Amino acid sequence: MEATQEQVHEVARAARAAAAELAPLPRAAKDAALLAIADALVARSPEILKANAADVERARSGGTAEYMIDRLSLSDSRLTAIADAVRHVAGLPDPVGEVVRGYTLPNALEVRQVRVPLGVIGIIYEGRPNVTVDAAALTLKSGNAVLLRGSSSAYESNRVLIEIMRSALTSVPQDAIQMVPGTGRDSVKHLMRARGLVDVLIPRGGASLINSVVEESTVPVIETGVGNCAVYVDAAADLDMAVSILINAKTHRPSVCNAAETLLVHASIAADFLPLALTALKDHGVTVHGDAEVQGFSADVVPATEDDYFAEYLSLDIAAAVVPSLEAAVAHIRRYGSGHTEAIVTTSQAAARRFVALVDSAAVMVNASTRFTDGEEFGFGAEIGISTQKLHARGPMGLPELTSTKYVVTGDGHLRV
């Protein structure tokens, strides 16, 4: 189902009008809308699950990969968690109006830099219906209107979710939440070319989607990146801790961007650590793609190719290599990593400090799983995405990252001379 440029731009214009109404509304109005959305999602869960079941069945019939089915699927427990996340966002501080800095100049002019909504935010994302609700909640709370363009694989789920959320809005304009019409490629292109109507685009999905939006859009883009995350086990690591962190990072939920995809082991402890790690990974059904040294510890290790070290598997696979030093681990990460999240396991404070200083990623974990790179885990509430770029926002993006700022200057008849 294709949509014309005019159809896409029509919803963008409606969103722009809604954004103007939404921006000055008090927190109470926005929070009331969010709580109404949460209640509606629970009350109308049978409709949502019916629509989602149709999407899942269609995906399975089409041979969709299992990790994508997992992302697409909703259940009563997942819907409850989604609604609870919306309520949590309602309870978070409102970023709009926050004074980032304020001061008085020698001439008595008062200068304040305050947070304001971005305006109209377009979200382009793949088959994850939870993103539909998370994005709507975070944009609404931060005073923005949102244009939601999910993938065709989740069309029925998204259509019902957006209809339910819009119907719950009484304290804010309904057009603050809209679904971009069309399921074909053209509607995405029209959204990417809606400069002047849409203030920013945020793509969420695989590398091909993100690259396409970044390269083709005339609307400014906040780039969310793929997650080729590495766990480095240092020479001074606690081996039991390292195994538990590795298993959690790889297997807790392998289909998400903060799952570990690479294991790097310092050569001095490889003989002690790798037999433990490879056994644990095998017990959890993980296939290890390793270099020659890793292969030497188990016949189950698959020879790693160059592509394996670049891979975001999103499955029970991991690339592994033995490195001669911490610096070599960092060099490997800089060459093959995606700048998302890296972890070091070590008892050496000096090694931890050096790793943190050298690694150029959005998040660095010290003796903790990569799975913690998440807006909710960081205390932000549901996140809009994890940015791997360096401008405006980096890492998990919560409410403050969905605002810009403006300067308010107050004088008393001041004239510049």
Side-chain angles (χ1 to χ4, degrees):
M1 180 176 63
E2 286 294 355
T4 65
Q5 177 177 300
E6 179 54 32
Q7 287 173 318
V8 173
H9 287 195
E10 182 181 355
V11 298
R13 282 190 287 270
R16 199 151 196 84
E21 292 182 51
L22 183 61
L25 290 180
R27 172 180 176 172
K30 294 183 287 187
D31 289 351
L34 291 170
L35 295 175
I37 285 173
D39 291 343
L41 291 173
V42 173
R44 297 176 63 179
S45 60
E47 296 172 58
I48 299 169
L49 295 178
K50 181 179 178 181
N52 182 249
D55 285 333
V56 170
E57 177 59 32
R58 188 170 61 253
R60 281 214 165 92
S61 298
T64 301
E66 193 56 38
Y67 78 88
M68 291 299 293
I69 296 289
D70 177 60
R71 289 183 170 190
L72 175 61
S73 300
L74 294 175
S75 62
D76 282 320
S77 60
R78 285 190 178 184
L79 269 179
T80 298
I82 290 169
D84 287 345
V86 175
R87 294 188 182 97
H88 181 64
V89 171
L92 293 172
D94 187 347
V96 178
E98 176 190 348
V99 178
V100 177
R101 56 180 170 172
Y103 48 91
T104 302
L105 295 171
N107 62 2
L109 272 179
E110 297 177 355
V111 180
R112 289 179 298 136
Q113 184 185 17
V114 299
R115 292 196 182 278
V116 295
L118 288 168
V120 177
I121 299 175
I123 315 289
I124 302 172
Y125 55 105
E126 293 176 341
R128 298 178 67 174
N130 65 296
V131 173
T132 303
V133 180
D134 290 349
L138 284 165
T139 50
L140 193 157
K141 176 77 176 195
S142 54
N144 298 289
V146 67
L147 297 172
L148 297 160
R149 178 50 169 85
S151 63
S152 58
S153 63
Y155 180 81
E156 288 301 320
S157 304
N158 292 337
R159 180 185 62 79
V160 171
L161 285 168
I162 292 169
E163 186 275 319
I164 289 172
M165 289 191 291
R166 284 172 57 86
S167 68
L169 300 182
T170 57
S171 58
V172 303
Q174 283 191 338
D175 285 343
I177 301 173
Q178 292 193 80
M179 186 175 189
V180 176
T183 58
R185 172 85 176 146
D186 282 355
S187 68
V188 178
K189 288 184 177 180
H190 299 324
L191 182 61
M192 292 192 295
R193 304 295 164 80
R195 189 176 181 91
L197 297 174
V198 179
D199 293 290
V200 68
L201 289 178
I202 302 175
R204 288 190 60 172
S208 61
L209 168 67
I210 294 167
N211 291 338
S212 175
V213 175
V214 170
E215 292 168 6
E216 298 180 30
S217 179
T218 61
V219 175
V221 177
I222 297 177
E223 183 176 352
T224 61
V226 297
N228 181 4
C229 305
V231 174
Y232 165 59
V233 181
D234 184 53
D238 178 306
L239 300 190
D240 290 336
M241 178 190 292
V243 171
S244 64
I245 286 174
L246 170 64
I247 295 303
N248 180 263
K250 177 68 260 181
T251 69
H252 182 257
R253 195 174 176 194
S255 65
V256 293
C257 63
N258 57 19
E261 306 289 22
T262 300
L263 167 64
L264 302 173
V265 181
H266 195 286
S268 67
I269 62 160
D272 294 321
F273 175 72
L274 279 172
L276 300 174
L278 294 175
T279 298
L281 289 167
K282 182 179 179 180
D283 289 345
H284 285 80
V286 178
T287 299
V288 178
H289 305 252
D291 64 8
E293 292 182 75
V294 176
Q295 292 172 53
F297 290 95
S298 173
D300 294 319
V301 175
V302 177
T305 66
E306 184 87 349
D307 288 343
D308 283 313
Y309 293 115
F310 283 112
E312 182 188 34
Y313 291 112
L314 302 175
S315 61
L316 288 173
D317 293 86
I318 193 166
V322 174
V323 292
S325 65
L326 181 149
E327 287 74 16
V330 172
H332 183 108
I333 289 166
R334 283 181 173 269
R335 174 172 171 77
Y336 297 106
S338 61
H340 191 293
T341 301
E342 325 303 339
I344 180 174
V345 185
T346 186
T347 60
S348 166
Q349 291 187 13
R353 285 195 297 268
R354 184 153 180 77
F355 188 81
V356 168
L358 292 177
V359 167
D360 186 23
S361 294
V364 183
M365 302 290 169
V366 178
N367 295 327
S369 171
T370 59
R371 288 284 287 119
F372 283 105
T373 304
D374 177 85
E376 188 169 354
E377 293 292 335
F378 280 13
F380 301 165
E383 69 187 27
I384 202 74
I386 297 174
S387 170
T388 54
Q389 66 177 24
K390 298 185 180 181
L391 298 178
H392 172 61
R394 197 180 192 197
M397 293 184 290
L399 294 171
E401 287 73 33
L402 294 178
T403 63
S404 182
T405 63
K406 68 180 176 185
Y407 286 91
V408 179
V409 181
T410 303
D412 185 20
H414 283 64
L415 302 175
R416 182 170 176 175
V417 297

